Amino acid sequence: INGNILKKLNHIKVKEDLIKFKSKGFKSLAIVLMHGYKFKKHEELIEKVALKIGFDQISISSKVSPLVKIVCRGDTTVADAYLSPVLNKYIQNFTSNLTNSLKSNDKIKQSVYFMMSSGGLTSALNFKGKDSILSGPAGGVVGSVETIKSLGINKIINFDMGGTSTDVSHFNKDYERKNENIVAGTRITSPMLDIHTVAAGGGSILKFEDDRFQVGPESAGSNPGPTCYDNNGPLTVTDANLVLGRLPEKLLDGALRLDSKAASFAIKKYIADPLGTTVEAAAIGILAIVNETMNNALKLMTVERGLDPKNYTLIAFGGAGPVHGGQLMRLLRTEKLLIPRYPGILCATGLLSTDLRYDFAITRVQRAGQYNKKEISDAFNSLSD
């Protein structure tokens, strides 16, 4: 509770261990001590040693997530150490290219901000790995809220279906945020919009193995893409939609042509023939399974929380959302369906609609009935300074 030092830090042992890690090829380091939320000096001392040894990325829990619960704090710090190097490289390349492209125009000032999982913007300098986990879907949530402002709607269920996954959330007059979430099995203690993700998207790969039909979680991505891209890609949800006429054979004003014959042949070979059915029936079955998977995610965010979907408007967006929106509306039994004018770029719209946001956290432990009001006041003041 007091944060007193019971045993001094063994600098020699710390240095020896870090040198071993570096020699084995580790470039990123997460430093998490049991009571780092209360006493950060030891973590900072280890950080100084690690900097001298030359680690590319060092994340310490007292900065990343200065909260109690060692496991959540540890998971968050490890995730930050894992993601930040990739993110930093991207930010460096982006800002460098932007600077070069604007050199010829002195009137344009460069200011780069990034969307965080919390739904707010932060500067490129402050954007960390832990802030990026749901930053894309967060843009969609903000974009959908901006869409309904002039429509007299204040209760919405967001259905954002892309190529790899589907993100669902709900909005009732205000954003719902969580300070602790589980993402891909990892516990993250960082402010996030309350978004649930399932591995079902337009690029989800379809399989029939061991007498069992599977949709995802693997995705074909944009390269090679679905079978209909005619690039030796796997069979996907997009192919089933194309075969049933729910997608045109030309996209992007004719720049992208979809091969319905290739998609039909693949469904026949891998799904219809093993099941002893027609291509159309197989495609309908494929989409029924995908839709039910996404409907379960929608019910998790509504029905299982005591909310009645009939009181909400379902907003379908993302690259594949509008294609499945009608069926999801029927399954979830919402009374209204809204498809934004430009559903594929609604996340980008959200990026342009949000504002700067700052979130700070701190932990102070006191005994029940023995509260130190001055310490509580000082803690609040330290967060607001």
Side-chain angles (χ1 to χ4, degrees):
I1 288 178
N2 298 322
N4 297 326
I5 300 175
L6 300 180
K7 187 176 181 180
K8 292 184 178 180
L9 187 70
N10 189 333
H11 290 77
I12 297 176
K13 183 69 166 59
V14 167
K15 185 175 181 179
E16 290 176 349
D17 289 341
L18 292 179
I19 290 174
K20 287 180 182 178
F21 295 147
K22 191 69 169 56
S23 66
K24 292 181 179 180
F26 291 101
K27 298 180 180 179
S28 294
L29 180 67
I31 302 172
V32 186
L33 300 185
M34 179 69 75
H35 300 291
Y37 67 91
K38 177 66 177 178
F39 184 80
K40 62 182 181 179
K41 187 174 180 180
H42 281 171
E43 287 191 348
E44 291 174 343
L45 289 172
I46 297 173
E47 181 186 27
K48 289 181 180 180
V49 177
L51 283 170
K52 291 180 180 179
I53 293 174
F55 284 90
D56 295 343
Q57 169 65 34
I58 304 171
S59 298
I60 68 173
S61 74
S62 53
K63 291 181 181 179
V64 173
S65 178
L67 302 171
V68 292
K69 297 183 179 180
I70 177 67
V71 176
C72 294
R73 180 158 48 92
D75 282 358
T76 305
T77 308
V78 170
D80 187 76
Y82 178 79
L83 294 171
S84 289
V86 179
L87 200 63
N88 292 339
K89 184 178 180 180
Y90 169 80
I91 292 173
Q92 185 177 1
N93 290 338
F94 180 83
T95 53
S96 177
N97 290 333
L98 181 64
T99 300
N100 292 334
S101 65
L102 297 180
K103 278 183 178 179
S104 59
N105 195 333
D106 296 334
K107 295 181 180 180
I108 301 178
K109 295 183 179 180
Q110 175 188 333
S111 296
V112 181
Y113 298 95
F114 288 88
M115 172 70 87
M116 298 182 291
S117 302
S118 63
L121 295 177
T122 189
S123 67
L125 183 64
N126 293 325
F127 192 41
K128 306 300 181 184
K130 70 179 180 67
D131 303 318
S132 67
I133 294 172
L134 291 177
S135 57
V141 176
V142 176
S144 66
V145 172
E146 289 297 314
T147 300
I148 65 171
K149 281 186 175 180
S150 61
L151 301 177
I153 301 172
N154 54 29
K155 290 185 177 183
I156 58 174
I157 299 170
N158 295 308
F159 169 58
D160 179 4
M161 183 179 180
T164 302
S165 63
T166 293
D167 305 298
V168 300
S169 60
H170 92 278
F171 175 89
N172 183 2
K173 298 180 182 179
D174 199 4
Y175 293 104
E176 287 205 355
R177 292 184 172 88
K178 298 173 68 175
N179 290 320
E180 185 176 317
N181 204 356
I182 297 179
V183 182
T186 302
R187 282 162 286 197
I188 304 295
T189 51
S190 181
M192 298 182 186
L193 289 176
D194 193 359
I195 300 170
H196 180 62
T197 301
V198 290
S204 293
I205 297 174
L206 310 176
K207 299 177 183 178
F208 187 76
E209 296 178 347
D210 302 324
D211 295 326
R212 188 163 63 95
F213 178 69
Q214 290 179 270
V215 180
E218 298 87 357
S219 175
S222 58
N223 186 16
T227 296
C228 61
Y229 279 22
D230 211 13
N231 193 30
N232 296 318
L235 183 62
T236 69
V237 172
T238 296
D239 295 303
N241 277 315
L242 178 63
V243 166
L244 293 175
R246 299 179 184 181
L247 288 174
E249 294 196 356
K250 294 180 181 179
L251 296 174
L252 302 177
D253 199 24
L256 178 62
R257 295 178 179 271
L258 305 182
D259 190 342
S260 60
K261 290 183 178 179
S264 181
F265 178 81
I267 291 177
K268 183 178 187 303
K269 179 179 179 181
Y270 297 111
I271 308 296
D273 285 352
L275 290 174
T277 189
T278 64
V279 170
E280 290 74 17
I284 291 172
I286 288 167
L287 297 183
I289 292 174
V290 173
N291 287 334
E292 197 56 52
T293 298
M294 295 184 292
N295 185 43
N296 287 336
L298 289 167
K299 288 193 292 186
L300 179 68
M301 298 296 287
T302 54
V303 177
E304 294 187 21
R305 297 187 179 190
L307 304 176
D308 187 352
K310 288 184 179 180
N311 299 326
Y312 288 77
T313 297
L314 180 66
I315 298 188
F317 59 96
V323 181
H324 293 256
Q327 186 61 33
L328 266 298
M329 174 191 176
R330 297 183 187 94
L331 290 172
L332 193 61
R333 297 182 180 180
T334 59
E335 294 185 351
K336 296 179 181 179
L337 172 66
L338 173 63
I339 297 177
R341 186 174 184 181
Y342 302 109
I345 60 170
L346 195 67
C347 289
T349 302
L351 289 173
L352 298 173
S353 305
T354 193
D355 204 347
L356 289 168
R357 180 180 174 87
Y358 301 93
D359 293 284
F360 303 100
I362 194 171
T363 296
R364 290 292 182 265
V365 181
Q366 296 186 1
R367 293 189 183 279
Q370 301 178 23
Y371 301 117
N372 185 326
K373 294 182 179 180
K374 183 180 183 307
E375 186 181 26
I376 295 174
S377 179
D378 291 343
F380 277 107
N381 291 334
S382 68
L383 293 175
S384 59
D385 287 344

